[in-house]
Amino acid sequence: MNETNPVPQPEESPPGFHFDEQDDRPKTSGGKVRRIGGRRGRKPSKIDQKAKLERSRQSARECRARKKQKYLYLEETVANKERAICALREELDMYKQWCRDVDKGIVPPEIKEALKDAKQTAETSSDLNQSKDIMDRETQD
């Protein structure tokens, strides 16, 4: 050991370290010892690379399957919306025809039936209201 230099100097440089030839100290970068060889950690073996590649392939297969399911769902949704639009257009055409008939002074049979049903419903509800009023009066007495 050298008295002027308190750091012991190795005979050989440790693996992964590079020493300057002038002062035999490890090269530093910003106060840190610099290693030769780049990345830290263990080096991937061929087995790891094959496993990683297989996981990547499996992930890609699953992604394609999810994408296919999404498109099937969207196509089904579009088909349902198109059917609903067609049904609403037919209903709109029917109402337009009823309006034309009413303008001519003709009451379409569908409107007559709807009016009869509404009248019966109103009578039934008024009968129910009358029955309810009678029951309320009896309970008060």
Side-chain angles (χ1 to χ4, degrees):
M1 188 146 76
N2 195 352
E3 288 186 29
T4 59
N5 191 355
V7 178
Q9 301 297 319
E11 304 267 332
E12 260 181 49
S13 58
F17 288 101
H18 177 70
F19 291 96
D20 280 341
E21 293 176 14
Q22 295 174 345
D23 59 5
D24 290 338
R25 287 184 290 171
K27 286 187 176 181
T28 60
S29 167
K32 294 183 180 178
V33 176
R34 198 172 49 175
R35 286 183 161 270
I36 297 175
R39 294 183 165 188
R40 288 191 248 161
R42 65 183 177 92
K43 293 182 181 176
S45 66
K46 292 210 178 228
I47 296 171
D48 289 343
Q49 289 175 347
K50 287 180 181 179
K52 183 178 179 181
L53 186 60
E54 183 57 36
R55 285 192 307 269
S56 176
R57 288 179 181 148
Q58 180 64 28
S59 177
R61 275 193 291 274
E62 291 170 0
C63 180
R64 286 189 295 270
R66 284 191 304 270
K67 185 177 180 181
K68 185 176 180 180
Q69 288 297 318
K70 181 180 178 182
Y71 275 96
L72 289 173
Y73 168 75
L74 291 174
E75 286 174 358
E76 182 181 331
T77 302
V78 167
N80 289 339
K81 299 291 183 187
E82 287 175 348
R83 281 193 293 274
I85 289 170
C86 288
L88 289 170
R89 282 190 178 143
E90 289 176 6
E91 188 176 354
L92 179 63
D93 289 340
M94 179 183 67
Y95 291 141
K96 285 180 180 178
Q97 183 61 44
W98 286 3
C99 289
R100 283 189 290 258
D101 288 347
V102 169
D103 288 343
K104 291 178 185 175
I106 303 169
V107 179
E110 295 89 359
I111 293 178
K112 287 181 183 178
E113 289 175 20
L115 291 173
K116 284 181 187 177
D117 290 342
K119 185 178 180 182
Q120 287 176 354
T121 304
E123 288 174 357
T124 306
S125 64
S126 68
D127 288 345
L128 289 174
N129 287 338
Q130 288 175 359
S131 299
K132 187 177 177 183
D133 290 341
I134 293 171
M135 299 271 293
D136 288 341
R137 277 187 243 138
E138 288 178 358
T139 55
Q140 290 175 356
D141 292 338

